[in-house]
Amino acid sequence: MSEELKKDRQTEPENEEIKENVPESMDSEEEIKKDKAVSEECGENAEAEAAGGGASDGGTADEDAKEAGEDSLETEDAEAGNGAGSRAEKKAAKKKFKLDKKQDALKEKIEELEDKVKRQMAEFDNFRKRTEKEKSAMFEMGAKNVIEKILPVVDNFERGLAAIPEEQKNDAFAEGMEMIYKQLISELEKMEVKPIPAVGEEFDPNFHNAVMQVESEEYESGVIAQELQKGYTYRDSVVRHSMVAVVS
């Protein structure tokens, strides 16, 4: 034990010297730590500033990118809208073209049907006119045939009245024949049957039939001097030509 104590005592001065030297070294270490801390703090501040600047730059970049994205989206939307509008216009134009084509086809069909109806109406009108004309012609032909058959009766009446002596013309029989003759002539006139003028008229082959030539001091050449048989017209057509003698 004594030896150990001696050793401890011997070492105590050394420890004191160490202790005296330690503060100096510790002071230097503390200064180094402080410098290091300051440098680290400066570095951190620089990094923070750099980070802040970077963040601000990054924010600006992000904002620019966002604005660019929004612009591009607006452009895309506008293009999409224009594309949709153009498609809608094309679709509307196509629909209108089909509708116009359909309407043109309908108009053409209507015009064709109208033309067909007009043609049929014209044909029917022509048929009606032709039928009426044929009916009128048939009626006139029938009337002329009847008149031609009645005219000999009229001639006989005239011959009979001309054969009555002057002293018998006041008899009842002669007066009765005269009345019947006048009634017959009146009905013929109502039917537009008229006698053709002859004596004293210039010869007309359309109305007169010359059967002989005679000498006459009363009439000039080519004038009818005598009527042998009366001629008659029905409306504008000749039923029977007059048989006449013409002055040579």
Side-chain angles (χ1 to χ4, degrees):
M1 289 294 292
S2 61
E3 293 178 359
E4 291 179 359
L5 289 170
K6 289 178 179 180
K7 290 179 179 180
D8 292 332
R9 288 176 179 177
Q10 290 177 356
T11 56
E12 284 177 0
E14 296 176 358
N15 291 332
E16 289 177 0
E17 293 177 359
I18 292 168
K19 287 179 181 180
E20 290 177 357
N21 295 325
V22 165
E24 294 178 358
S25 62
M26 287 179 67
D27 293 335
S28 62
E29 289 177 0
E30 288 177 358
E31 290 178 357
I32 291 170
K33 287 180 181 179
K34 287 180 181 180
D35 294 334
K36 187 176 182 181
V38 171
S39 63
E40 288 177 356
E41 187 177 356
C42 292
E44 289 176 359
N45 292 331
E47 289 177 358
E49 290 177 358
S56 62
D57 294 337
T60 305
D62 292 338
E63 290 178 358
D64 294 338
K66 187 176 180 181
E67 290 178 358
E70 290 177 355
D71 293 338
S72 63
L73 287 174
E74 289 178 358
T75 304
E76 290 177 357
D77 292 337
E79 290 178 354
N82 291 331
S86 62
R87 285 196 297 272
E89 289 176 358
K90 288 180 180 178
K91 189 175 181 181
K94 188 175 181 181
K95 187 176 180 180
K96 185 179 179 182
F97 176 75
K98 289 182 179 179
L99 184 62
D100 292 339
K101 189 174 181 181
K102 188 176 181 181
Q103 287 180 351
D104 291 339
L106 290 173
K107 287 180 180 178
E108 186 177 356
K109 187 68 176 178
I110 290 169
E111 289 177 357
E112 183 180 354
L113 292 173
E114 286 180 350
D115 183 68
K116 188 175 180 181
V117 171
K118 288 179 181 178
R119 288 177 181 275
Q120 288 180 350
M121 289 178 68
E123 289 178 0
F124 178 75
D125 189 55
N126 292 332
F127 171 76
R128 180 179 59 80
K129 290 179 180 178
R130 185 171 61 252
T131 304
E132 289 179 355
K133 189 175 181 180
E134 289 176 356
K135 286 172 65 177
S136 178
M138 290 176 65
F139 178 79
E140 289 183 0
M141 187 177 293
K144 284 174 71 175
N145 290 332
V146 173
I147 291 166
E148 285 177 357
K149 291 178 180 179
I150 292 174
L151 290 179
V153 178
V154 175
D155 293 339
N156 291 330
F157 262 106
E158 289 177 350
R159 292 190 187 100
L161 291 172
I164 297 174
E166 288 292 333
E167 62 275 8
Q168 295 181 359
K169 285 185 178 181
N170 294 326
D171 293 346
F173 178 76
E175 290 179 355
M177 287 184 64
E178 184 74 22
M179 291 173 65
I180 293 170
Y181 172 74
K182 288 180 178 180
Q183 184 180 6
L184 182 58
I185 294 299
S186 176
E187 293 299 326
L188 289 173
E189 287 178 352
K190 290 178 182 178
M191 294 173 61
E192 299 184 25
V193 178
K194 297 177 181 179
I196 297 173
V199 177
E201 299 290 331
E202 188 175 355
F203 176 78
D204 187 353
N206 294 320
F207 297 99
H208 307 121
N209 182 17
V211 294
M212 58 186 298
Q213 288 183 342
V214 294
E215 299 290 337
S216 176
E217 296 178 357
E218 185 179 359
Y219 300 108
E220 298 178 356
S221 176
V223 177
I224 298 170
Q226 186 180 1
E227 184 180 44
L228 304 175
Q229 188 181 44
K230 275 188 178 182
Y232 291 89
T233 59
Y234 172 64
R235 295 182 178 175
D236 294 331
S237 60
V238 178
V239 179
R240 187 177 71 181
H241 289 79
S242 298
M243 294 177 65
V244 295
V246 182
V247 177
S248 59

